[in-house]
Amino acid sequence: MLSVLQAVAAATTGIPPNSPVEWSPDWFRGAAPTTPWSVDPNTYCSSLLNDPVTWDVTFDACYQSCLAKTGCSEFYYTNMTRWHGRTGCLAVSGAPCATPCTTGACGNWDAYVCSSGDATKCATPPLPPPSPPPPPPPPSPFGFAGALSDHMVLQRNVPARVWGTGGTPNGTVSVELSDGAVQSVVANATGDWAVDLTAREASIASINITVVDHSTNRTATLHDVLFGDVWGCHGQSNMAFGLGQDISAKTACAEANNPLMRLLVFTSHGTWEVAANKTACTGTGFAPFSAVCMYFGMNTFRELGGTVPIGLVYSAVGGTAIERWSGPNALAQCNQTGVVDQSNLWNPFIVPLLPMRMSGWLWYQGESNVACSTSWKWMPGLNCGIGCTKEQPICNASATGCASYYACAFPAMIADWRTQWNGGNEDIPGRTPGPRPFLFVELAPYTEGVGEPGDVSTALIRQSQLKALTLPAVAMAAAYDYGDPASPLGNIHPRYKAPVGWRLAMAAQNVSYAGVPSAKIPMNPTLVSATISKADAHTVILQFDRPVQLRPPALGPCPVSASSCAWCSVDGQNATLTQQSLNGNTVFAVVPSSAPPLGPATVVEYLYGDWPVPTIYALDSSFGFPVPPFRTTAN
């Protein structure tokens, strides 16, 4: 829609209203354009009384302001370049002026105000006093970075980095350990400094670390520092779910008292705490420390014999999509640029941690990248992963599109984290060679916010999560056999975090820790092939990469609406699963004999829905490792 000014300009000058040429005030007097001018947010509208009113950027806003204040029937713009480059909006009251008002009546304020064609009521506004220069920014305090504090754990067996700010620019800074070791470095031009300490073995005896600025003799000290294994725990609300709310909280909180486990809740800064009931369990809902992260740490501590300190760095925010945790490089790999809120957690929660040497990362996220149901309001063409609810329906035009994006974004984020993080792609002596492990949780069952029964948006994201397994040193912990329809925090937040943390710890042993007993525990079996039986056209033979067993049906009923649950289906028909050999690698999926015989490209779906009900597990006594959901074709 054309503004009043644009319409007048077009009528009097013939210049197209959408012309890229800047507007000139002379256009509104019917003359040819002279010196172009530009609008700034501090432009003033001047009334008959010369009472300025602030204008908010658009021509129409200025016009309406003049009109409302003075009842003008006409107004003009004039260039006030001699008065701080401002542009005036000049009103004419009553009928249009009989003759054009003359300029220059206000001296060096090149503007005029006319009343009934009389340009005598003019006043030059006083010049505003010059603004004082802004004060210089305060110097950064000398000391350690916000991720470092008393009671912390530094990564063993590698050159662990300590870093900070506030040193004398280009001055010498020394880091002194209480056992006598000293290392020095020259601060940069802004006083930032970093020292990579000589690699140390794990130790249960703590030390103090003091940094000294030799130019000023300022010092700062970290007390009670241990060397061990440091793991990051990130994601959204299921990673943020507090240990105190877990179904096994009473036992877990008692075990949380461990002076060799240290916890950091990081939100651009934080303070390390010794693991205890108070620091791990006190609070409700999503406070104070992650249940998944804590269970992982306790299991890993036991697996390593109780002699390796464990540091857990936890930062998770509920309702956040993967774009918010991804850096610009990862986003660019998947053509995801210009998205609202992208990287807004990467910058404060991840970037400050990048200098820290880590053992690896845990990740529990994906719910906010599940697309909306088609029964909700869709907004086609928008980027995926902004998250959506019935109240805020912002999502891509198809669930398949969002899942495809996640299949790109998740591996891209992992690879970028490893590249950006200090030592992320390097070996740790004594560990399995390769990049730092990245361990993720495949989404638990839930029905909240996924649309109508039978919607498969969550199943699609689970399939996309599995794409990350193509990267080295990436492993998955299943959560889809531990749904919680009665969770007081909603069934999207199951309270059964202990098995998830244990599975993550076992995954760490498999992909990272060499020589520990559990490193040989088989993880989730995977499907090798699906073929239609030649002996029975109503049976599909499912072959797995290791021996499997069937979980008793009594252990896996559907706790929610049957239309939301997923078992095994063949061409859309529920199939019965059987085994001929208890210790074999094969499972038979049998459809009713009354159904038509199975033909080429038969579709087999296992756990392909919002609420999976697993049946096939790795052969062990605890039903600890279920077969992941899959969708394939059989011939």
Side-chain angles (χ1 to χ4, degrees):
M1 179 178 178
L2 298 182
S3 71
V4 174
L5 295 183
Q6 290 172 321
V8 172
T12 57
T13 69
I15 296 175
N18 292 322
S19 170
V21 179
E22 292 187 89
W23 299 105
S24 165
D26 292 318
W27 292 354
F28 305 112
R29 304 188 184 105
T34 54
T35 305
W37 61 282
S38 59
V39 179
D40 91 26
N42 293 318
T43 300
Y44 286 89
C45 293
S46 177
S47 73
L48 287 174
L49 301 178
N50 200 30
D51 182 18
V53 268
T54 303
W55 174 43
D56 355 323
V57 180
T58 66
F59 295 129
D60 286 335
C62 188
Y63 169 73
Q64 295 297 336
S65 178
C66 285
L67 195 64
K69 195 167 184 67
T70 67
C72 309
S73 60
E74 286 188 12
F75 72 104
Y76 294 94
Y77 269 70
T78 186
N79 194 358
M80 294 157 55
T81 54
R82 299 179 200 172
W83 191 58
H84 297 289
R86 301 183 186 278
T87 302
C89 170
L90 307 174
V92 182
S93 67
C97 296
T99 57
C101 298
T102 59
T103 60
C106 298
N108 65 355
W109 184 32
D110 186 13
Y112 58 89
V113 178
C114 62
S115 173
S116 301
D118 184 1
T120 59
K121 297 181 179 180
C122 224
T124 303
L127 293 176
S131 300
S140 299
F142 178 68
F144 293 93
L148 313 181
S149 77
D150 294 348
H151 313 301
M152 72 174 300
V153 176
L154 290 171
Q155 180 60 44
R156 61 171 171 150
N157 297 340
V158 296
R161 179 169 295 179
V162 292
W163 71 100
T165 60
T168 300
N170 304 311
T172 300
V173 171
S174 292
V175 173
E176 304 174 359
L177 278 62
S178 57
D179 61 6
V182 178
Q183 292 178 241
S184 297
V185 70
V186 175
N188 67 14
T190 60
D192 297 339
W193 56 270
V195 172
D196 289 335
L197 302 176
T198 302
R200 291 179 171 238
E201 297 286 339
S203 174
I204 62 174
S206 67
I207 63 171
N208 298 334
I209 301 177
T210 298
V211 60
V212 181
D213 179 11
H214 289 278
S215 300
T216 61
N217 292 322
R218 291 174 296 166
T219 65
T221 301
L222 302 176
H223 300 89
D224 185 31
V225 177
L226 297 172
F227 283 82
D229 284 348
V230 183
W231 289 85
C233 304
H234 310 282
Q236 56 182 107
S237 55
N238 272 308
M239 181 61 84
F241 191 99
L243 183 61
Q245 296 300 301
D246 188 74
I247 204 77
S248 303
K250 184 175 181 180
T251 302
C253 289
E255 189 181 349
N257 292 287
N258 184 342
L260 296 182
M261 287 184 61
R262 308 297 175 85
L263 315 178
L264 172 63
V265 178
F266 189 77
T267 55
S268 75
H269 63 280
T271 301
W272 287 80
E273 302 278 359
V274 178
N277 185 292
K278 178 180 179 181
T279 56
C281 292
T282 303
T284 59
F286 300 96
F289 203 79
S290 164
V292 167
C293 191
M294 194 68 187
Y295 278 122
F296 167 84
M298 291 188 289
N299 281 287
T300 299
F301 181 77
R302 282 194 297 268
E303 289 292 328
L304 298 179
T307 59
V308 178
I310 299 295
L312 301 174
V313 180
Y314 150 65
S315 60
V317 181
T320 53
I322 195 169
E323 297 91 311
R324 300 177 66 177
W325 296 96
S326 301
N329 293 341
L331 291 169
Q333 289 184 46
C334 302
N335 299 317
Q336 192 78 343
T337 57
V339 180
V340 177
D341 292 338
Q342 67 180 11
S343 296
N344 70 341
L345 296 176
W346 159 263
N347 290 314
F349 285 7
I350 302 301
V351 170
L353 295 173
L354 294 179
M356 183 180 290
R357 294 278 187 153
M358 310 284 282
S359 272
W361 305 273
L362 314 182
W363 178 255
Y364 196 158
Q365 187 277 337
E367 296 92 341
S368 287
N369 284 89
V370 173
C372 296
S373 162
T374 53
S375 65
W376 296 354
K377 179 181 177 183
W378 292 83
M379 298 180 68
L382 293 182
N383 291 293
C384 298
I386 303 174
C388 55
T389 64
K390 286 186 177 179
E391 293 73 32
Q392 189 185 9
I394 304 175
C395 44
N396 192 264
S398 73
T400 304
C402 286
S404 296
Y405 167 69
Y406 200 88
C408 174
F410 189 29
M413 186 197 77
I414 295 171
D416 188 51
W417 277 26
R418 286 170 165 170
T419 299
Q420 302 293 333
W421 222 292
N422 181 21
N425 280 310
E426 298 174 6
D427 295 345
I428 295 180
R431 301 269 284 275
T432 304
R436 298 293 192 271
F438 194 100
L439 316 173
F440 70 92
V441 181
E442 195 169 17
L443 296 185
Y446 68 96
T447 59
E448 296 178 354
V450 297
E452 303 304 317
D455 184 83
V456 296
S457 297
T458 310
L460 290 169
I461 291 294
R462 290 192 188 100
Q463 294 297 294
S464 296
Q465 288 181 301
L466 298 179
K467 298 293 185 181
L469 295 176
T470 60
L471 299 177
V474 174
M476 181 199 77
Y480 39 80
D481 53 341
Y482 281 96
D484 187 5
S487 173
L489 296 172
N491 69 31
I492 197 172
H493 300 125
R495 293 166 290 175
Y496 299 95
K497 304 302 188 192
V500 177
W502 176 78
R503 288 169 175 172
L504 286 168
M506 297 306 100
Q509 308 306 319
N510 272 269
V511 301
S512 181
Y513 291 104
V516 298
S518 62
K520 298 187 182 301
I521 290 179
M523 296 294 288
N524 308 79
T526 56
L527 183 71
V528 174
S529 64
T531 56
I532 299 172
S533 170
K534 294 181 179 180
D536 181 0
H538 293 85
T539 299
V540 174
I541 304 171
L542 304 175
Q543 189 78 22
F544 297 92
D545 64 350
R546 67 196 66 178
V548 293
Q549 61 184 330
L550 295 180
R551 183 175 184 169
L555 298 178
C558 178
V560 294
S561 168
S563 58
S564 293
C565 283
W567 292 272
C568 182
S569 70
V570 176
D571 275 351
Q573 302 178 82
N574 284 334
T576 302
L577 299 178
T578 65
Q579 273 188 299
Q580 290 182 351
S581 172
L582 178 62
N583 298 324
N585 293 31
T586 302
V587 171
F588 299 94
V590 183
V591 298
S593 59
S594 58
L598 302 174
T602 291
V603 177
V604 181
E605 295 178 334
Y606 177 69
L607 309 184
Y608 210 71
D610 295 330
W611 200 284
V613 184
T615 308
I616 313 172
Y617 282 73
L619 185 63
D620 67 68
S621 59
S622 63
F623 294 100
F625 300 105
V627 168
F630 61 80
R631 186 178 192 274
T632 189
T633 56
N635 292 294

